[in-house]
Amino acid sequence: MSSEWTQSTLGEFVRLQRGHDLTASEQQAGSIPIMGSAGPNGTHSEALAHGPGVVIGRSGASAGRVHFSEVDYWPHNTCLYVTDFLGNNPRFAYYLLQTLDLAAFNSGSAQPSLNRNYLYSISLKIPPRAAQDGIVDVLKSLDDRITLLRETNATLEAIAQALFKSWFVDFDPVRAKMEGRAPKGMDEATTALFPDALEAAADGEIPAGWHMQPIRELVADVFDGPHATPPEADAGPVFLGIKNLTGTGLALADIRHINEDDWLKWTKRVVPQAGDIVFSYEATLGFFALIPSGLRCCLGRRLALIRPKANEGAGHFWFHQFTAAPFQRLLVKHTVPGATVNRIALKEFPSYHVLVPPVALQMAFDTVASALWAKIHENQAQAQTLSTLRDTLLPRLISGQLRLPEAQATTEAAVGGALQA
């Protein structure tokens, strides 16, 4: 297969142009994605480039990162974008560019910056268009399945969050019983766990018999992460960052690995375990995630860990308790005045009060939520397996080291297995 490939340069493969300025005052409401150095960054009312399109981070920490847009977009001046694919498959160009160490072509300024003329000289080996299309089919089938798994998880997380909000934030079952109605979609045993009245509390009405309690009485401990970042490794334990916290789940598509020695050093205070709740207490305030089983990881900067008490066994209840909107508002309420970035004083966090229903009701919620989260964690594992396969196949396919039929067979088996699970 690779004998039909031609020797070329990046400048002969695609044509690049610097993106265009767009100030905050010029940005207008619309659905057109703005593509910048780090990928999608807001929307605008006007497009300057047609999709499918490819952009390369031009400046800053994201210089050299490659992003793809299926639709028309506005290329921001922090990126370079492809203006002409010169007959090549746009998605193949996206995959190929990912295999290049583009950041190494820094133009030499103090701030990392890429110049298209520097990049044009990069030597490439390009397959015929038919082979490009075949490679894209293989890699895109993996990307599509990974996307579907993540979208499914987002739906499952939303279902669990909606149930929690109905029961413990809006008190829908309590209000239904107050009106003499049976709570919608709830069996008699669960219905009996809810009171039929509200009573006054410091921050408003709460269900009768429920109470406010400081976090310190409800969790085994709270730990914060280090205030530095260890060197990155090609493989090993995961070093969690705020970017890995989606607001409910744990995103492992863009992770940082550290070596074993650093992991031992960074986990002296606490080794994260399944059921622990990680949240950001500084900068991007209030993002959360539940640690899944089997993940060896440590806390990154600006992250803290809550370990619920094990004796009550309501881990998913507490996860949703700490991700509910009222709790996030509680964090905002306690931000340190005058700080340059949003943050809370973590030492005061255990003194915050949260609403506590009876343990039996916590457990009832956990029974429902556990099934949802078991599927979420299963999907996460499948997505990670497929991501690893894609990352393994990508450089071998792009370089011609792997024959397309072999890659197709491997991919079909992996995607088929994921669909049956």
Side-chain angles (χ1 to χ4, degrees):
M1 179 180 72
S2 58
S3 62
E4 303 173 5
W5 295 27
T6 58
Q7 197 66 38
S8 184
T9 64
L10 192 145
E12 295 169 333
F13 177 60
V14 295
R15 304 305 295 173
L16 298 171
Q17 181 175 320
R18 178 172 171 164
H20 305 272
D21 291 339
L22 182 65
T23 65
S25 61
E26 295 170 334
Q27 188 174 339
Q28 298 180 7
S31 60
I32 303 298
I34 301 169
M35 299 293 289
S37 187
N41 183 26
T43 57
H44 187 46
S45 60
E46 180 184 359
L48 287 184
H50 294 296
V54 175
V55 304
I56 302 170
R58 186 186 64 80
S59 61
S62 298
R65 293 184 61 181
V66 185
H67 310 281
F68 188 83
S69 177
E70 289 278 8
V71 299
D72 294 353
Y73 63 98
W74 179 288
H76 196 264
N77 67 350
T78 57
C79 75
L80 298 171
Y81 70 104
V82 178
T83 56
D84 192 341
F85 291 96
L86 302 177
N88 295 294
N89 185 309
R91 200 167 189 103
F92 176 81
Y94 164 67
Y95 288 130
L96 183 148
L97 291 169
Q98 288 185 76
T99 67
L100 305 177
D101 184 12
L102 298 175
F105 288 80
N106 180 14
S107 60
S109 60
Q111 170 83 346
S113 181
L114 299 182
N115 184 305
R116 62 180 173 176
N117 293 322
Y118 281 41
L119 301 182
Y120 278 162
S121 63
I122 298 175
S123 179
L124 302 176
K125 201 172 182 181
I126 307 300
R129 176 62 189 251
Q132 293 182 26
D133 295 344
I135 291 171
V136 167
D137 287 343
V138 168
L139 297 174
K140 189 173 183 298
S141 68
L142 292 171
D143 281 338
D144 289 347
R145 180 58 186 165
I146 292 166
T147 298
L148 179 60
L149 287 167
R150 290 175 180 160
E151 290 175 346
T152 299
N153 275 2
T155 300
L156 294 173
E157 291 174 13
I159 292 171
Q161 285 281 23
L163 183 65
F164 182 91
K165 183 174 183 292
S166 175
W167 286 18
F168 303 114
V169 178
D170 297 333
F171 314 134
D172 290 334
V174 178
R175 298 182 190 280
K177 292 179 72 172
M178 290 172 64
E179 296 171 1
R181 297 182 289 106
K184 187 177 180 180
M186 184 177 292
D187 58 52
E188 291 185 9
T190 306
T191 298
L193 298 175
F194 287 90
D196 57 4
L198 297 172
E199 59 187 21
D203 292 329
E205 291 186 321
I206 62 174
W210 298 15
H211 61 281
M212 303 297 292
Q213 198 168 343
I215 291 172
R216 69 165 60 89
E217 297 178 6
L218 306 170
V219 302
D221 217 331
V222 179
F223 302 91
D224 64 335
H227 298 283
T229 302
E232 187 169 5
D234 293 332
V238 172
F239 186 80
L240 292 176
I242 292 178
K243 66 181 180 180
N244 301 122
L245 312 185
T246 65
T248 51
L250 191 60
L252 298 178
D254 185 11
I255 56 177
R256 180 187 183 95
H257 295 281
I258 62 174
N259 63 43
E260 293 291 339
D261 289 342
D262 283 324
W263 183 75
L264 291 173
K265 181 171 64 175
W266 253 258
T267 53
K268 282 183 177 179
R269 290 194 62 210
V270 61
V271 178
Q273 61 188 36
D276 287 345
I277 301 160
V278 177
F279 72 100
S280 55
Y281 66 91
E282 186 174 292
T284 307
L285 191 65
F287 272 28
F288 294 77
L290 186 69
I291 299 295
S293 60
L295 179 68
R296 295 179 69 233
C297 63
C298 61
L299 300 179
R301 295 176 61 228
R302 297 172 168 173
L303 298 186
L305 178 150
I306 303 168
R307 180 160 293 166
K309 288 183 178 178
N311 58 350
E312 294 184 352
H316 290 99
F317 167 79
W318 287 112
F319 170 67
H320 286 279
Q321 169 81 317
F322 291 125
T323 60
F327 182 76
Q328 293 185 352
R329 289 197 294 269
L330 185 65
L331 293 185
V332 173
K333 177 182 175 182
H334 286 86
T335 53
V336 176
T340 54
V341 296
N342 282 345
R343 66 182 179 88
I344 64 167
L346 195 61
K347 64 181 180 180
E348 298 177 5
F349 175 80
S351 67
Y352 298 174
H353 282 63
V354 293
L355 181 61
V356 180
V359 172
L361 196 47
Q362 299 174 28
M363 298 293 287
F365 175 81
D366 240 42
T367 298
V368 179
S370 292
L372 295 171
W373 278 91
K375 185 59 179 176
I376 288 170
H377 290 156
E378 178 185 333
N379 289 346
Q380 285 178 334
Q382 289 179 9
Q384 188 59 39
T385 297
L386 294 177
S387 295
T388 300
L389 176 60
R390 178 201 57 203
D391 294 344
T392 301
L393 294 178
L394 175 58
R396 298 184 64 200
L397 280 170
I398 294 299
S399 65
Q401 295 175 351
L402 180 65
R403 290 177 57 83
L404 190 55
E406 297 172 18
Q408 289 170 332
T410 301
T411 301
E412 287 171 4
V415 173
L419 288 171
Q420 293 174 9

PDB file of all heavy atoms in Angstrom, residues 165-188:
ATOM      1  N   LYS A 165     -32.642  16.502  41.473  1.00  0.00           N
ATOM      2  CA  LYS A 165     -33.233  17.837  41.596  1.00  0.00           C
ATOM      3  C   LYS A 165     -34.707  17.732  41.986  1.00  0.00           C
ATOM      4  O   LYS A 165     -35.190  18.499  42.836  1.00  0.00           O
ATOM      5  CB  LYS A 165     -33.076  18.596  40.283  1.00  0.00           C
ATOM      6  CG  LYS A 165     -33.584  20.039  40.310  1.00  0.00           C
ATOM      7  CD  LYS A 165     -33.247  20.736  38.997  1.00  0.00           C
ATOM      8  CE  LYS A 165     -33.681  22.205  39.031  1.00  0.00           C
ATOM      9  NZ  LYS A 165     -35.145  22.354  39.057  1.00  0.00           N
ATOM     10  N   SER A 166     -35.424  16.803  41.369  1.00  0.00           N
ATOM     11  CA  SER A 166     -36.840  16.639  41.673  1.00  0.00           C
ATOM     12  C   SER A 166     -37.057  16.242  43.120  1.00  0.00           C
ATOM     13  O   SER A 166     -37.931  16.792  43.803  1.00  0.00           O
ATOM     14  CB  SER A 166     -37.443  15.590  40.735  1.00  0.00           C
ATOM     15  OG  SER A 166     -38.784  15.324  41.076  1.00  0.00           O
ATOM     16  N   TRP A 167     -36.252  15.304  43.609  1.00  0.00           N
ATOM     17  CA  TRP A 167     -36.445  14.794  44.971  1.00  0.00           C
ATOM     18  C   TRP A 167     -35.925  15.740  46.044  1.00  0.00           C
ATOM     19  O   TRP A 167     -36.593  15.981  47.045  1.00  0.00           O
ATOM     20  CB  TRP A 167     -35.726  13.453  45.122  1.00  0.00           C
ATOM     21  CG  TRP A 167     -36.377  12.289  44.456  1.00  0.00           C
ATOM     22  CD1 TRP A 167     -37.321  12.324  43.459  1.00  0.00           C
ATOM     23  CD2 TRP A 167     -36.125  10.905  44.725  1.00  0.00           C
ATOM     24  NE1 TRP A 167     -37.661  11.045  43.084  1.00  0.00           N
ATOM     25  CE2 TRP A 167     -36.945  10.150  43.844  1.00  0.00           C
ATOM     26  CE3 TRP A 167     -35.292  10.230  45.606  1.00  0.00           C
ATOM     27  CZ2 TRP A 167     -36.946   8.754  43.841  1.00  0.00           C
ATOM     28  CZ3 TRP A 167     -35.292   8.836  45.597  1.00  0.00           C
ATOM     29  CH2 TRP A 167     -36.109   8.110  44.728  1.00  0.00           C
ATOM     30  N   PHE A 168     -34.696  16.274  45.830  1.00  0.00           N
ATOM     31  CA  PHE A 168     -33.984  16.922  46.926  1.00  0.00           C
ATOM     32  C   PHE A 168     -33.761  18.422  46.770  1.00  0.00           C
ATOM     33  O   PHE A 168     -33.196  19.053  47.657  1.00  0.00           O
ATOM     34  CB  PHE A 168     -32.629  16.231  47.141  1.00  0.00           C
ATOM     35  CG  PHE A 168     -32.748  14.756  47.404  1.00  0.00           C
ATOM     36  CD1 PHE A 168     -32.256  13.836  46.497  1.00  0.00           C
ATOM     37  CD2 PHE A 168     -33.374  14.296  48.550  1.00  0.00           C
ATOM     38  CE1 PHE A 168     -32.369  12.474  46.736  1.00  0.00           C
ATOM     39  CE2 PHE A 168     -33.488  12.936  48.803  1.00  0.00           C
ATOM     40  CZ  PHE A 168     -32.991  12.014  47.891  1.00  0.00           C
ATOM     41  N   VAL A 169     -34.173  18.978  45.647  1.00  0.00           N
ATOM     42  CA  VAL A 169     -34.030  20.427  45.445  1.00  0.00           C
ATOM     43  C   VAL A 169     -35.403  21.070  45.291  1.00  0.00           C
ATOM     44  O   VAL A 169     -35.746  22.024  45.991  1.00  0.00           O
ATOM     45  CB  VAL A 169     -33.143  20.746  44.222  1.00  0.00           C
ATOM     46  CG1 VAL A 169     -33.051  22.262  44.010  1.00  0.00           C
ATOM     47  CG2 VAL A 169     -31.758  20.147  44.386  1.00  0.00           C
ATOM     48  N   ASP A 170     -36.219  20.518  44.374  1.00  0.00           N
ATOM     49  CA  ASP A 170     -37.559  21.060  44.160  1.00  0.00           C
ATOM     50  C   ASP A 170     -38.601  20.432  45.081  1.00  0.00           C
ATOM     51  O   ASP A 170     -39.721  20.954  45.190  1.00  0.00           O
ATOM     52  CB  ASP A 170     -37.974  20.844  42.696  1.00  0.00           C
ATOM     53  CG  ASP A 170     -37.073  21.590  41.720  1.00  0.00           C
ATOM     54  OD1 ASP A 170     -36.502  22.619  42.127  1.00  0.00           O
ATOM     55  OD2 ASP A 170     -36.941  21.140  40.573  1.00  0.00           O
ATOM     56  N   PHE A 171     -38.256  19.296  45.699  1.00  0.00           N
ATOM     57  CA  PHE A 171     -39.150  18.579  46.626  1.00  0.00           C
ATOM     58  C   PHE A 171     -40.476  18.206  45.962  1.00  0.00           C
ATOM     59  O   PHE A 171     -41.545  18.289  46.569  1.00  0.00           O
ATOM     60  CB  PHE A 171     -39.421  19.419  47.890  1.00  0.00           C
ATOM     61  CG  PHE A 171     -38.195  20.042  48.498  1.00  0.00           C
ATOM     62  CD1 PHE A 171     -38.198  21.378  48.888  1.00  0.00           C
ATOM     63  CD2 PHE A 171     -37.038  19.309  48.680  1.00  0.00           C
ATOM     64  CE1 PHE A 171     -37.071  21.959  49.460  1.00  0.00           C
ATOM     65  CE2 PHE A 171     -35.895  19.887  49.250  1.00  0.00           C
ATOM     66  CZ  PHE A 171     -35.918  21.218  49.634  1.00  0.00           C
ATOM     67  N   ASP A 172     -40.415  17.767  44.712  1.00  0.00           N
ATOM     68  CA  ASP A 172     -41.636  17.430  43.981  1.00  0.00           C
ATOM     69  C   ASP A 172     -42.477  16.361  44.681  1.00  0.00           C
ATOM     70  O   ASP A 172     -43.718  16.517  44.764  1.00  0.00           O
ATOM     71  CB  ASP A 172     -41.286  16.980  42.559  1.00  0.00           C
ATOM     72  CG  ASP A 172     -40.782  18.122  41.698  1.00  0.00           C
ATOM     73  OD1 ASP A 172     -41.141  19.285  41.986  1.00  0.00           O
ATOM     74  OD2 ASP A 172     -40.035  17.866  40.737  1.00  0.00           O
ATOM     75  N   PRO A 173     -41.888  15.264  45.183  1.00  0.00           N
ATOM     76  CA  PRO A 173     -42.723  14.262  45.860  1.00  0.00           C
ATOM     77  C   PRO A 173     -43.413  14.811  47.106  1.00  0.00           C
ATOM     78  O   PRO A 173     -44.569  14.460  47.401  1.00  0.00           O
ATOM     79  CB  PRO A 173     -41.726  13.153  46.219  1.00  0.00           C
ATOM     80  CG  PRO A 173     -40.598  13.322  45.255  1.00  0.00           C
ATOM     81  CD  PRO A 173     -40.488  14.797  45.067  1.00  0.00           C
ATOM     82  N   VAL A 174     -42.731  15.686  47.852  1.00  0.00           N
ATOM     83  CA  VAL A 174     -43.336  16.293  49.048  1.00  0.00           C
ATOM     84  C   VAL A 174     -44.513  17.169  48.646  1.00  0.00           C
ATOM     85  O   VAL A 174     -45.605  17.095  49.236  1.00  0.00           O
ATOM     86  CB  VAL A 174     -42.296  17.113  49.829  1.00  0.00           C
ATOM     87  CG1 VAL A 174     -42.944  17.787  51.036  1.00  0.00           C
ATOM     88  CG2 VAL A 174     -41.132  16.227  50.261  1.00  0.00           C
ATOM     89  N   ARG A 175     -44.309  17.976  47.623  1.00  0.00           N
ATOM     90  CA  ARG A 175     -45.379  18.877  47.185  1.00  0.00           C
ATOM     91  C   ARG A 175     -46.569  18.085  46.653  1.00  0.00           C
ATOM     92  O   ARG A 175     -47.726  18.479  46.847  1.00  0.00           O
ATOM     93  CB  ARG A 175     -44.841  19.844  46.128  1.00  0.00           C
ATOM     94  CG  ARG A 175     -43.719  20.742  46.653  1.00  0.00           C
ATOM     95  CD  ARG A 175     -43.233  21.728  45.607  1.00  0.00           C
ATOM     96  NE  ARG A 175     -42.017  22.411  46.052  1.00  0.00           N
ATOM     97  CZ  ARG A 175     -41.995  23.433  46.899  1.00  0.00           C
ATOM     98  NH1 ARG A 175     -43.139  23.901  47.402  1.00  0.00           N
ATOM     99  NH2 ARG A 175     -40.850  24.002  47.253  1.00  0.00           N
ATOM    100  N   ALA A 176     -46.291  16.971  45.961  1.00  0.00           N
ATOM    101  CA  ALA A 176     -47.392  16.145  45.463  1.00  0.00           C
ATOM    102  C   ALA A 176     -48.209  15.583  46.622  1.00  0.00           C
ATOM    103  O   ALA A 176     -49.452  15.619  46.598  1.00  0.00           O
ATOM    104  CB  ALA A 176     -46.824  15.010  44.616  1.00  0.00           C
ATOM    105  N   LYS A 177     -47.539  15.103  47.657  1.00  0.00           N
ATOM    106  CA  LYS A 177     -48.252  14.536  48.806  1.00  0.00           C
ATOM    107  C   LYS A 177     -49.029  15.617  49.547  1.00  0.00           C
ATOM    108  O   LYS A 177     -50.127  15.367  50.070  1.00  0.00           O
ATOM    109  CB  LYS A 177     -47.275  13.834  49.738  1.00  0.00           C
ATOM    110  CG  LYS A 177     -46.656  12.576  49.134  1.00  0.00           C
ATOM    111  CD  LYS A 177     -45.674  11.907  50.077  1.00  0.00           C
ATOM    112  CE  LYS A 177     -46.371  11.228  51.241  1.00  0.00           C
ATOM    113  NZ  LYS A 177     -45.440  10.409  52.057  1.00  0.00           N
ATOM    114  N   MET A 178     -48.478  16.849  49.585  1.00  0.00           N
ATOM    115  CA  MET A 178     -49.185  17.959  50.226  1.00  0.00           C
ATOM    116  C   MET A 178     -50.495  18.263  49.500  1.00  0.00           C
ATOM    117  O   MET A 178     -51.465  18.720  50.107  1.00  0.00           O
ATOM    118  CB  MET A 178     -48.285  19.202  50.247  1.00  0.00           C
ATOM    119  CG  MET A 178     -47.101  19.102  51.198  1.00  0.00           C
ATOM    120  SD  MET A 178     -45.925  20.495  51.024  1.00  0.00           S
ATOM    121  CE  MET A 178     -46.964  21.872  51.528  1.00  0.00           C
ATOM    122  N   GLU A 179     -50.508  18.002  48.188  1.00  0.00           N
ATOM    123  CA  GLU A 179     -51.697  18.269  47.387  1.00  0.00           C
ATOM    124  C   GLU A 179     -52.585  17.036  47.248  1.00  0.00           C
ATOM    125  O   GLU A 179     -53.557  17.049  46.486  1.00  0.00           O
ATOM    126  CB  GLU A 179     -51.271  18.771  45.997  1.00  0.00           C
ATOM    127  CG  GLU A 179     -50.526  20.100  46.047  1.00  0.00           C
ATOM    128  CD  GLU A 179     -49.926  20.477  44.701  1.00  0.00           C
ATOM    129  OE1 GLU A 179     -50.125  19.703  43.730  1.00  0.00           O
ATOM    130  OE2 GLU A 179     -49.253  21.524  44.608  1.00  0.00           O
ATOM    131  N   GLY A 180     -52.229  15.977  47.957  1.00  0.00           N
ATOM    132  CA  GLY A 180     -53.038  14.769  47.919  1.00  0.00           C
ATOM    133  C   GLY A 180     -52.835  13.931  46.677  1.00  0.00           C
ATOM    134  O   GLY A 180     -53.667  13.071  46.354  1.00  0.00           O
ATOM    135  N   ARG A 181     -51.735  14.164  45.945  1.00  0.00           N
ATOM    136  CA  ARG A 181     -51.449  13.406  44.736  1.00  0.00           C
ATOM    137  C   ARG A 181     -50.346  12.393  44.995  1.00  0.00           C
ATOM    138  O   ARG A 181     -49.483  12.592  45.850  1.00  0.00           O
ATOM    139  CB  ARG A 181     -50.988  14.342  43.608  1.00  0.00           C
ATOM    140  CG  ARG A 181     -52.012  15.350  43.152  1.00  0.00           C
ATOM    141  CD  ARG A 181     -51.482  16.203  42.002  1.00  0.00           C
ATOM    142  NE  ARG A 181     -50.448  17.152  42.418  1.00  0.00           N
ATOM    143  CZ  ARG A 181     -49.154  17.023  42.168  1.00  0.00           C
ATOM    144  NH1 ARG A 181     -48.705  15.942  41.490  1.00  0.00           N
ATOM    145  NH2 ARG A 181     -48.284  17.928  42.573  1.00  0.00           N
ATOM    146  N   ALA A 182     -50.341  11.325  44.237  1.00  0.00           N
ATOM    147  CA  ALA A 182     -49.246  10.354  44.285  1.00  0.00           C
ATOM    148  C   ALA A 182     -48.099  10.897  43.441  1.00  0.00           C
ATOM    149  O   ALA A 182     -48.320  11.338  42.304  1.00  0.00           O
ATOM    150  CB  ALA A 182     -49.698   9.003  43.760  1.00  0.00           C
ATOM    151  N   PRO A 183     -46.857  10.908  43.954  1.00  0.00           N
ATOM    152  CA  PRO A 183     -45.721  11.376  43.154  1.00  0.00           C
ATOM    153  C   PRO A 183     -45.612  10.589  41.857  1.00  0.00           C
ATOM    154  O   PRO A 183     -45.760   9.361  41.846  1.00  0.00           O
ATOM    155  CB  PRO A 183     -44.513  11.116  44.064  1.00  0.00           C
ATOM    156  CG  PRO A 183     -45.081  11.133  45.450  1.00  0.00           C
ATOM    157  CD  PRO A 183     -46.449  10.530  45.327  1.00  0.00           C
ATOM    158  N   LYS A 184     -45.385  11.274  40.776  1.00  0.00           N
ATOM    159  CA  LYS A 184     -45.363  10.665  39.448  1.00  0.00           C
ATOM    160  C   LYS A 184     -44.211   9.669  39.318  1.00  0.00           C
ATOM    161  O   LYS A 184     -43.066   9.969  39.658  1.00  0.00           O
ATOM    162  CB  LYS A 184     -45.239  11.755  38.385  1.00  0.00           C
ATOM    163  CG  LYS A 184     -45.369  11.260  36.963  1.00  0.00           C
ATOM    164  CD  LYS A 184     -45.319  12.417  35.980  1.00  0.00           C
ATOM    165  CE  LYS A 184     -45.460  11.919  34.550  1.00  0.00           C
ATOM    166  NZ  LYS A 184     -45.404  13.047  33.573  1.00  0.00           N
ATOM    167  N   GLY A 185     -44.540   8.464  38.834  1.00  0.00           N
ATOM    168  CA  GLY A 185     -43.524   7.462  38.542  1.00  0.00           C
ATOM    169  C   GLY A 185     -42.821   6.893  39.750  1.00  0.00           C
ATOM    170  O   GLY A 185     -41.686   6.418  39.634  1.00  0.00           O
ATOM    171  N   MET A 186     -43.445   6.910  40.918  1.00  0.00           N
ATOM    172  CA  MET A 186     -42.788   6.459  42.148  1.00  0.00           C
ATOM    173  C   MET A 186     -43.626   5.368  42.803  1.00  0.00           C
ATOM    174  O   MET A 186     -44.853   5.476  42.886  1.00  0.00           O
ATOM    175  CB  MET A 186     -42.613   7.649  43.103  1.00  0.00           C
ATOM    176  CG  MET A 186     -41.854   7.328  44.373  1.00  0.00           C
ATOM    177  SD  MET A 186     -41.625   8.814  45.395  1.00  0.00           S
ATOM    178  CE  MET A 186     -40.487   9.753  44.371  1.00  0.00           C
ATOM    179  N   ASP A 187     -42.955   4.298  43.284  1.00  0.00           N
ATOM    180  CA  ASP A 187     -43.687   3.219  43.943  1.00  0.00           C
ATOM    181  C   ASP A 187     -44.094   3.634  45.358  1.00  0.00           C
ATOM    182  O   ASP A 187     -43.602   4.637  45.900  1.00  0.00           O
ATOM    183  CB  ASP A 187     -42.862   1.930  43.964  1.00  0.00           C
ATOM    184  CG  ASP A 187     -41.524   2.095  44.674  1.00  0.00           C
ATOM    185  OD1 ASP A 187     -41.510   2.592  45.824  1.00  0.00           O
ATOM    186  OD2 ASP A 187     -40.484   1.719  44.097  1.00  0.00           O
ATOM    187  N   GLU A 188     -44.963   2.836  45.956  1.00  0.00           N
ATOM    188  CA  GLU A 188     -45.505   3.192  47.278  1.00  0.00           C
ATOM    189  C   GLU A 188     -44.432   3.200  48.354  1.00  0.00           C
ATOM    190  O   GLU A 188     -44.446   4.062  49.250  1.00  0.00           O
ATOM    191  CB  GLU A 188     -46.619   2.207  47.656  1.00  0.00           C
ATOM    192  CG  GLU A 188     -47.883   2.352  46.807  1.00  0.00           C
ATOM    193  CD  GLU A 188     -48.997   1.438  47.301  1.00  0.00           C
ATOM    194  OE1 GLU A 188     -48.834   0.840  48.388  1.00  0.00           O
ATOM    195  OE2 GLU A 188     -50.024   1.330  46.606  1.00  0.00           O
TER     196      GLU A 188
END
